[in-house]
Amino acid sequence: MRASDSLVDAARRAREYAVAPFSGFKVGAALETAGGVVITGCNVENATYGLTVCAERVAMFKALSDGHREFRRIAIVADTEVPTPPCGACRQILWEFGGDLEIILANLLEEKGVHRLKDLLPLPFDARLL
Ligand code: THU
């Protein structure tokens, strides 16, 4: 079993809780802290559509609100052949609070790719520029 497997499995389990009645597109995320704690998230949609929160941001906000501040990796799972990368808003939030995270993309059956967040969000805006 590769080290990433259990994180991916946690994201797969979190995906089961997705609240996605409008898109039907269920996403799960599992964020690993520097200390090895895993915090999960799923996407949560609502009737306005626009207030939807992605799985990745749910995981990060849950982690922050539990007091975690240092992160290593995040696994993101959707039921797609082509892997589902984090949206632009999530890249920004993950970068600001997680830095150059390892991003593991997977579907229900297999891992589909590993990326660094700095490669997914080149030339980021963050607090260092304020
Ligand atoms: N979604 C995520 O949760 N994470 C992603 O990386 C991509 C998109 C959600 C938002 C919405 O509930 C549904 O997937 C379709 O966009």
Side-chain angles (χ1 to χ4, degrees), residues 23 25 27 43 45 52 54-56 84-87:
S23 73
F25 193 82
V27 184
N43 53 330
E45 301 179 350
T52 291
C54 295
E56 298 91 321
T84 298
C87 77

Side-chain angles (χ1 to χ4, degrees), residues 16-127:
E16 294 297 314
Y17 296 120
V19 183
F22 303 106
S23 73
F25 193 82
K26 296 181 172 188
V27 184
L31 178 65
E32 184 184 72
T33 71
V37 177
V38 174
I39 289 111
T40 59
C42 62
N43 53 330
V44 181
E45 301 179 350
N46 82 318
T48 70
Y49 298 11
L51 295 179
T52 291
V53 188
C54 295
E56 298 91 321
R57 271 176 291 152
V58 169
M60 179 56 85
F61 292 146
K62 279 175 66 181
L64 292 168
S65 73
D66 281 347
H68 300 289
R69 292 292 182 271
E70 305 258 351
F71 305 97
R72 278 201 294 243
R73 309 185 293 163
I74 186 168
I76 302 163
V77 167
D79 185 11
T80 55
E81 186 52 37
V82 175
T84 298
C87 77
C90 287
R91 293 179 198 204
Q92 178 70 27
I93 292 297
L94 292 175
W95 174 263
E96 286 198 44
F97 296 107
D100 186 26
L101 290 172
E102 184 176 281
I103 311 273
I104 303 156
L105 305 180
N107 64 20
L108 303 190
L109 297 175
E110 58 186 353
E111 200 176 298
K112 303 294 279 185
V114 180
H115 305 268
R116 301 303 308 199
L117 185 52
K118 70 175 167 50
D119 300 322
L120 302 187
L121 189 67
L123 202 62
F125 174 79
D126 59 35

